[in-house]
Amino acid sequence: MNQRQNLAIIGSGASAIYLLKHLLDGADVLGCHFAGISIFEKSGVTGMGMPYNPETTDRFNLSNISSEELPALPVTFADWLRGQEPSFLNELGVNAVEISDSEVYSRLALGQYLNAQYRTVVSHLEEVGIAIREFPGCEILDVRCVVAEGPVLLDTADGLSQSFDRVVIATGHCWAGEDRPAEGYYISPWPISKLLPAAGKYHDFAIGTLGASLSAFDVISSLAHRQGEFVNEKGTLTFRPFPGTENFKIVMHASQGLLPHLQFDQDEPFREIYRHVDREGLLALVDKDGFLRLDSYFDRVCRPALSTAFAKDQIDEVVYLLADPKFGFSEFVAKMTDEHDYANAFEGMRFEMIEARKSVLEHRPIHWKEVIDDLMYTLNFHAELMPAEDHLTLRSCVMPFLMNVVAAMPLASGEILLALYDAGKLEMVAGNVEIAGNQEHEGHTTIRVENKGEKKTLVYPMFVDCSGQKPLELEDYPFQSLVESSRVRRARASFSDPQKTVGSLPNDKKDLVFQDGADLFFHTGGVDVDAAYRLISADGTADPRIFDIAFPHTSGVRPYSYGLQACNDTSAILVRALVEEHISGAPVNGNPETMTEIYEEMSSP
């Protein structure tokens, strides 16, 4: 391709920032490939991202990641904070006395940092001859391909259309459905401002959250700081409610009644795709039918790595259990969940806080948690090799466990939860929640809770779904022309034994089984992309013009891709695929054998 191309990026959050950074790193090759990059951002601020934008979050929401865990940008987060004025840091909720590489700071602070790095990267791209055009406050309503191999058209909210040779969709978080404020029901916590009382007013009533996730804590922290004050009394954080908030309380609803594990120190804070197994070893696990089985992966890769980790942590009981071949992945998850399962989740957190403080403050790594995160990160980037049966196990058994273990809550957040619990302002209710079909109480949300056969009905003036981002389905995909023209399809996995499996599925899972041609598939959620993140059309071909790295779209294919480290690696894979294409003159083959060579290069020193 002799003519320089124009690239469009839809969204300018973390994934887009790391994409730009990797494009800059590859500018010696790609500088003569791309003439310009156009960046479209629905928000009025480019280069920040929804979770860190002052329009959506506030100073009481923590970022849940420290400087030492952030993938490289021109300046580290901690160094950038050290260079800011104390008054500015105070606005961001940051104590300027001593900035630490291992401390977790506010989402607002991280957002300002990301914006500063975005500006630096954009400036450097322009210096190497790639023109950058920014379109803040410009929502893309649709993406169209009029000609099979022609340009891609972007339709903007102001009624204009622009054409590009390549498009990367990096739109980030998106929730299907709408809030119902008249019923007090909210499909997500964002923007957090919609949940807050008016100035000088209080929420003097009980508020329910669906989920005990880190997002639920954001809701709890933002609301509690406006209903009272937190005071350190002899080394213990306490909550003092304001007058007029006697009835204020937050009730967290979680299926198992578990709170997230607490923050822990790590030997290796950065995930690697190939840390505990190399490319050859991983591909050697693929069976004669072309499947990577979860049991094989656990036995050959996870078991030895976890045994070593538990030995380092001096947890001999689990080392002994792992030596038994009958102790598989499901048994491991059940065992480690039981270790974290307390009759009272808050008293359990108080007990675990002792070891968590030692881990973080005295730099004592908890190796097994770090290793299980690494192992699942590896599996994530090979998930297209797994059969439908193992995708089902991963989602029903393993993922809920991982979200509690690895999505670790900062110590400061845990202290706030305990202070609210001690003040009688926070409660946990275990059980599966269903939003009632008929809302009989005006201005309230009615839910039905079932736990171990017991059922009850509860009514809240405000109920917030904090269960996290779910995969967006085709009907909710933001660019419907791509759906209507069959340039996007549902993510899927083949069955290893469809006759045996499909008939035994529960009804809600049977609804996800579909036929395409002569084959049966299980819909894993979201839309289909290949390993280079190119959209896959209904005919099974990858479109070299359109990439999608938005996690809500691709989590059916990449079920454990989350966090800023995944944003970085996902963007790096995409850019390396573009470099290979430029060198060879043809799009890379998106099959696992080819793409894992790129993974291997990324894991090399």
Side-chain angles (χ1 to χ4, degrees):
M1 286 175 274
N2 297 321
Q3 186 175 357
R4 296 177 76 193
Q5 297 188 347
N6 287 304
L7 169 70
I9 304 174
I10 306 174
S12 68
S15 291
I17 294 168
Y18 281 105
L19 175 66
L20 291 167
K21 188 260 184 187
H22 288 294
L23 287 169
L24 177 63
D25 291 343
D28 54 335
V29 174
L30 296 176
C32 59
H33 186 71
F34 291 116
I37 300 174
S38 295
I39 303 164
F40 295 89
E41 172 56 56
K42 180 169 64 174
S43 165
V45 181
T46 51
M48 191 171 285
M50 186 285 292
Y52 316 110
N53 192 321
E55 295 176 357
T56 51
T57 189
D58 77 13
R59 70 196 305 271
F60 300 115
N61 298 153
L62 293 180
S63 60
N64 302 316
I65 189 169
S66 65
S67 179
E68 64 186 3
E69 297 172 276
L70 281 166
L73 288 168
V75 176
T76 71
F77 185 22
D79 283 346
W80 180 83
L81 288 171
R82 294 181 185 109
Q84 306 308 306
E85 292 293 327
S87 58
F88 180 56
L89 292 178
N90 184 58
E91 291 176 14
L92 303 177
V94 175
N95 184 344
V97 174
E98 184 178 352
I99 301 297
S100 168
D101 288 355
S102 60
E103 185 71 26
V104 172
Y105 295 104
S106 70
R107 288 180 185 266
L108 288 178
L110 184 54
Q112 293 295 329
Y113 162 74
L114 289 173
N115 181 260
Q117 303 314 296
Y118 167 82
R119 290 283 158 218
T120 299
V121 171
V122 163
S123 175
H124 290 338
L125 282 165
E126 290 179 323
E127 288 171 5
V128 298
I130 299 177
I132 304 294
R133 299 172 68 207
E134 297 180 75
F135 297 88
C138 183
E139 182 178 6
I140 300 299
L141 296 183
D142 209 354
V143 177
R144 295 182 291 124
C145 302
V146 179
V147 182
E149 296 182 1
V152 180
L153 299 178
L154 303 189
D155 296 339
T156 66
D158 58 11
L160 300 178
S161 293
Q162 298 188 45
S163 68
F164 296 91
D165 302 291
R166 300 291 180 93
V167 172
V168 177
I169 298 167
T171 46
H173 292 277
C174 182
W175 285 270
E178 295 182 357
D179 294 331
R180 301 193 295 272
E183 299 173 8
Y185 176 77
Y186 298 90
I187 60 167
S188 84
W190 316 112
I192 203 83
S193 58
K194 69 187 179 184
L195 307 178
L196 304 180
K201 304 291 184 180
Y202 302 115
H203 287 333
D204 192 28
F205 48 78
I207 297 164
T209 70
L210 178 59
S213 63
L214 298 179
S215 293
F217 172 73
D218 288 332
V219 172
I220 292 166
S221 182
S222 290
L223 289 174
H225 276 90
R226 289 163 173 85
Q227 304 286 131
E229 61 179 349
F230 291 89
V231 180
N232 194 311
E233 295 181 340
K234 298 180 180 180
T236 300
L237 193 69
T238 61
F239 179 69
R240 296 177 181 171
F242 294 144
T245 64
E246 288 78 12
N247 298 309
F248 167 71
K249 175 186 267 191
I250 297 177
V251 182
M252 308 167 79
H253 289 269
S255 59
Q256 294 180 289
L258 300 176
L259 288 168
H261 281 223
L262 290 163
Q263 181 183 359
F264 58 94
D265 192 60
Q266 303 180 60
D267 271 337
E268 300 284 352
F270 290 100
R271 304 284 74 88
E272 288 183 7
I273 297 176
Y274 292 132
R275 173 166 279 146
H276 299 287
V277 63
D278 59 20
R279 172 178 176 270
E280 268 187 37
L282 193 289
L283 294 180
L285 297 177
V286 176
D287 66 19
K288 60 181 177 57
D289 296 317
F291 291 122
L292 172 63
R293 299 310 306 257
L294 200 53
D295 286 343
S296 297
Y297 182 69
F298 184 80
D299 284 338
R300 300 283 293 280
V301 181
C302 302
R303 193 183 300 276
L306 286 169
S307 294
T308 301
F310 278 107
K312 287 182 180 179
D313 294 329
Q314 298 182 332
I315 306 177
D316 296 334
E317 178 191 4
V318 181
V319 176
Y320 173 79
L321 289 170
L322 286 166
D324 182 354
K326 294 180 181 177
F327 185 76
F329 213 158
S330 297
E331 289 78 15
F332 171 76
V333 167
K335 168 65 178 173
M336 301 317 296
T337 299
D338 287 345
E339 294 291 319
H340 184 60
D341 191 4
Y342 302 94
N344 182 307
F346 298 101
E347 294 301 339
M349 175 173 276
R350 198 190 311 277
F351 172 76
E352 291 186 358
M353 182 71 76
I354 299 169
E355 288 302 313
R357 281 201 182 102
K358 287 181 182 178
S359 175
V360 173
L361 302 179
E362 299 176 19
H363 300 293
R364 297 184 184 180
I366 300 179
H367 298 93
W368 79 264
K369 293 183 181 181
E370 180 181 336
V371 167
I372 193 66
D373 195 16
D374 264 328
L375 292 165
M376 293 302 98
Y377 199 69
T378 298
L379 187 66
N380 171 72
F381 287 98
H382 301 82
E384 63 267 55
L385 294 170
M386 292 166 51
E389 290 87 344
D390 288 346
H391 275 276
L392 283 159
T393 301
L394 187 73
R395 282 161 171 76
S396 63
C397 173
V398 181
M399 290 297 290
F401 163 70
L402 294 173
M403 292 302 99
N404 273 317
V405 171
V406 182
M409 178 176 288
L411 299 185
S413 301
E415 289 168 352
I416 287 174
L417 288 187
L418 291 177
L420 289 167
Y421 168 72
D422 290 338
K425 298 296 184 181
L426 188 60
E427 183 182 336
M428 169 73 78
V429 173
N432 295 315
V433 171
E434 178 185 350
I435 308 298
N438 295 320
Q439 296 293 331
E440 300 175 354
H441 300 271
E442 186 176 353
H444 292 65
T445 295
T446 300
I447 67 169
R448 315 213 188 280
V449 183
E450 181 176 355
N451 185 41
K452 298 177 181 178
E454 294 184 8
K455 299 180 181 180
K456 58 183 172 181
T457 299
L458 298 172
V459 180
Y460 292 100
M462 179 184 286
F463 191 81
V464 187
D465 189 336
C466 301
S467 58
Q469 177 70 70
K470 299 173 180 64
L472 281 191
E473 301 303 337
L474 286 185
E475 58 268 24
D476 299 312
Y477 194 66
F479 311 117
Q480 281 295 299
S481 286
L482 294 177
V483 178
E484 293 163 4
S485 60
S486 299
R487 297 191 182 279
V488 61
R489 71 178 187 179
R490 290 188 289 176
R492 76 273 312 273
S494 302
F495 287 92
S496 172
D497 189 344
Q499 288 187 331
K500 177 182 177 182
T501 305
V502 174
S504 63
L505 290 174
N507 288 333
D508 63 328
K509 296 296 186 288
K510 284 181 181 176
D511 292 342
L512 298 174
V513 177
F514 67 98
Q515 189 162 352
D516 191 348
D519 299 315
L520 276 180
F521 295 96
F522 177 75
H523 176 42
T524 53
V527 303
D528 213 2
V529 293
D530 72 359
Y533 295 92
R534 297 174 295 210
L535 281 180
I536 297 181
S537 302
D539 63 3
T541 61
D543 193 324
R545 299 168 297 173
I546 309 175
F547 299 79
D548 196 329
I549 55 174
F551 294 156
H553 303 166
T554 63
S555 57
V557 180
R558 293 285 176 259
Y560 196 60
S561 271
Y562 77 96
L564 296 179
Q565 293 188 8
C567 291
N568 175 60
D569 280 342
T570 296
S571 299
I573 291 165
L574 190 162
V575 171
R576 285 179 183 244
L578 288 174
V579 169
E580 292 296 323
E581 175 183 332
H582 180 73
I583 292 172
S584 67
V588 297
N589 187 329
N591 65 34
E593 289 74 17
T594 300
M595 293 304 299
T596 52
E597 292 178 358
I598 288 178
Y599 301 167
E600 192 173 47
E601 291 172 11
M602 291 169 56
S603 297
S604 300

